[in-house]
Amino acid sequence: MGLELNKIHIPGIREKMPLVISGPCSAETEEQVMETARKLSACGVQVFRAGIWKPRTKPGGFEGNGEKALPWLKQVKKETGMLVTTEVATPAHVEAALRMEVDILWIGARTSANPFAIQDLADCLTGVEIPVFVKNPVSPDIELWVGALERFNRAGIRQLGAIHRGFSSADQKIYRNMPLWHIPIELHRRYPMLPILCDPSHMGGRPELIAPLSQQALDMGFDGLMIESHVCPTCAWSDAKQQITPEVLHEILDHLVLREAVESTEILEGLRKQIDEMDDQLMDLLSKRMYISRQIAQYKKEQNMRIVQSQRYAEILDKRAEQGSRCKMDPDFVRRTFEAIHEESVRQQTDIFKS
Ligand code: PEP
Ligand code: MN
């Protein structure tokens, strides 16, 4: 099924500037909201975000200020002229947000994973003209994401957008949520008119990953970014590890390179991105392999065994070299690669023996 879409109307989008939605993970106090908003507005952010109802994985965390914080968003609009957006997860949230003239709604990853919750939200938005951004569900299931978009579209929401925030995986190393870029790329293939933003904050989970992920997303043709920003990231009541100050955001935005979509190199770019993603996966696998290797070292140390057991090493090399030639790779190349991996593995094991 296709999606019937109208252009999302966001006044003030700067020429050649992607849509930037930014603001704190949570609206904590009026002062924090206003101070952050003033600074973000000064760096050209078009839409201010702040979570008011926070879905927390575990109980006991800060679950948001609720309706009390809505007037702060209204004040942000009034004072800075930025549009405002917040996450809604229940019809009661939608009604409260609409009453307070929130301009854009977004659906969080935990909610878009639940078709019953999405249907309730879609039902209560029937006949309402408001842009809705749907974050990908926590699990890498494109149909669940598409299903959520379709439910809103069937309820008459025409100003729809998607936000790619990565997918959770049991054993993340580099990213808080795995990018799995092929999923939003497939979404774009199916619905070329659907704007897709990237949320590098929740994807990376660390400030230093925000710039490279943002650049990567723009290079891949994403339509904009949602980035968490807080006047004092380390004092944030939620997601303190990944937020950046408005000043740092300014720096990042200033350094983003906006590329022309040139027909002739698109294919090449797409292929290179696939290579980058595979390299990321390779790095992730290698680091997991080293982790197992360190566990082996711990065990060998306790059992008073030697680090290198040459028979096992020779077996690994032979097996992989032979497999390499079956997979159209030079067996020597495969041998050298595994020798290098083994060398690093032994180095790490030696460190454990020494400790
Ligand atoms: C958020 O944007 O603060 C949030 C909770 O994001 P997600 O739904 O992507 O986890
Ligand atoms: Mn957050």
Side-chain angles (χ1 to χ4, degrees):
M1 194 196 94
L3 296 174
E4 279 183 44
L5 301 170
N6 295 343
K7 206 168 168 1
I8 298 185
H9 185 62
I10 297 177
I13 292 191
R14 280 210 256 143
E15 269 296 291
K16 290 187 169 262
M17 166 103 170
L19 169 62
V20 179
I21 301 180
S22 184
C25 180
S26 308
E28 298 162 5
T29 65
E30 185 170 0
E31 296 66 41
Q32 168 248 8
V33 166
M34 294 312 301
E35 210 185 312
T36 311
R38 283 182 204 117
K39 291 187 167 176
L40 290 175
S41 167
C43 41
V45 167
Q46 301 107 330
V47 182
F48 181 79
R49 65 147 281 157
I52 279 175
W53 300 280
K54 300 300 301 175
R56 304 312 297 274
T57 302
K58 291 190 182 143
F62 174 59
E63 298 196 326
N65 277 306
E67 288 193 36
K68 180 178 126 192
L70 282 169
W72 308 340
L73 292 190
K74 206 167 174 182
Q75 186 59 25
V76 167
K77 265 173 82 149
K78 201 169 142 211
E79 210 183 298
T80 68
M82 284 188 286
L83 298 185
V84 295
T85 181
T86 198
E87 172 176 352
V88 287
T90 68
H93 297 165
V94 170
E95 278 150 26
L98 294 178
R99 268 199 309 275
M100 277 303 206
E101 294 163 33
V102 167
D103 303 286
I104 299 171
L105 303 176
W106 96 73
I107 312 300
R110 291 157 193 79
T111 310
S112 52
N114 179 350
F116 288 126
I118 293 293
Q119 194 56 54
D120 284 348
L121 291 169
D123 289 345
C124 86
L125 279 167
T126 305
V128 180
E129 269 207 34
I130 190 164
V132 176
F133 280 102
V134 182
K135 286 196 169 194
N136 64 264
V138 281
S139 54
D141 182 345
I142 190 171
E143 303 308 335
L144 206 49
W145 199 1
V146 165
L149 290 159
E150 281 182 1
R151 284 179 201 275
F152 286 110
N153 203 227
R154 283 189 184 193
I157 297 291
R158 298 276 181 269
Q159 297 184 69
L160 265 184
I163 302 177
H164 174 42
R165 46 77 83 197
F167 301 91
S168 57
S169 113
D171 42 17
Q172 301 98 329
K173 287 281 181 317
I174 305 174
Y175 304 105
R176 176 176 174 191
N177 290 295
M178 299 286 286
L180 306 182
W181 296 106
H182 63 278
I183 295 183
I185 288 171
E186 169 60 13
L187 187 68
H188 178 62
R189 192 191 62 77
R190 291 194 204 178
Y191 308 107
M193 303 311 290
L194 177 77
I196 309 182
L197 312 189
C198 176
D199 172 346
S201 303
H202 291 87
M203 187 180 284
R206 288 189 272 146
E208 63 272 26
L209 290 177
I210 291 176
L213 285 171
S214 301
Q215 187 63 59
Q216 207 173 339
L218 295 185
D219 293 349
M220 267 188 268
F222 277 68
D223 301 276
L225 303 164
M226 179 189 256
I227 301 178
E228 283 188 341
S229 177
H230 189 294
V231 273
C232 174
T234 50
C235 1
W237 298 0
S238 60
D239 284 347
K241 284 199 201 121
Q242 71 195 27
Q243 302 202 59
I244 52 174
T245 60
E247 289 77 12
V248 170
L249 180 82
H250 198 169
E251 273 287 305
I252 291 176
L253 294 181
D254 263 4
H255 286 88
L256 286 178
V257 182
L258 301 180
R259 300 184 207 284
E260 304 284 331
V262 182
E263 283 289 310
S264 61
T265 63
E266 249 174 40
I267 293 174
L268 194 59
E269 286 291 309
L271 292 170
R272 285 191 178 142
K273 293 303 161 200
Q274 287 185 43
I275 293 281
D276 285 347
E277 185 174 333
M278 280 168 199
D279 285 349
D280 275 346
Q281 288 174 6
L282 273 176
M283 289 299 293
D284 206 47
L285 269 179
L286 273 177
S287 93
K288 283 177 192 146
R289 193 188 190 283
M290 294 302 161
Y291 172 70
I292 304 280
S293 181
R294 291 196 296 274
Q295 282 187 318
I296 291 180
Q298 197 60 46
Y299 177 77
K300 284 180 181 167
K301 187 178 173 186
E302 281 157 20
Q303 303 293 318
N304 214 18
M305 293 160 80
R306 287 184 197 156
I307 292 183
V308 180
Q309 287 167 320
S310 21
Q311 197 199 331
R312 158 111 181 119
Y313 178 40
E315 273 168 22
I316 289 183
L317 288 185
D318 291 345
K319 186 171 139 198
R320 297 303 167 190
E322 194 214 308
Q323 194 183 23
S325 45
R326 276 188 277 119
C327 304
K328 298 200 170 88
M329 283 183 285
D330 182 351
D332 278 348
F333 155 73
V334 177
R335 210 170 258 285
R336 274 183 275 120
T337 307
F338 276 88
E339 276 166 6
I341 292 173
H342 186 257
E343 194 184 327
E344 170 63 1
S345 176
V346 169
R347 191 192 63 75
Q348 296 212 9
Q349 294 200 337
T350 311
D351 276 354
I352 292 202
F353 268 63
K354 281 195 275 192
S355 65

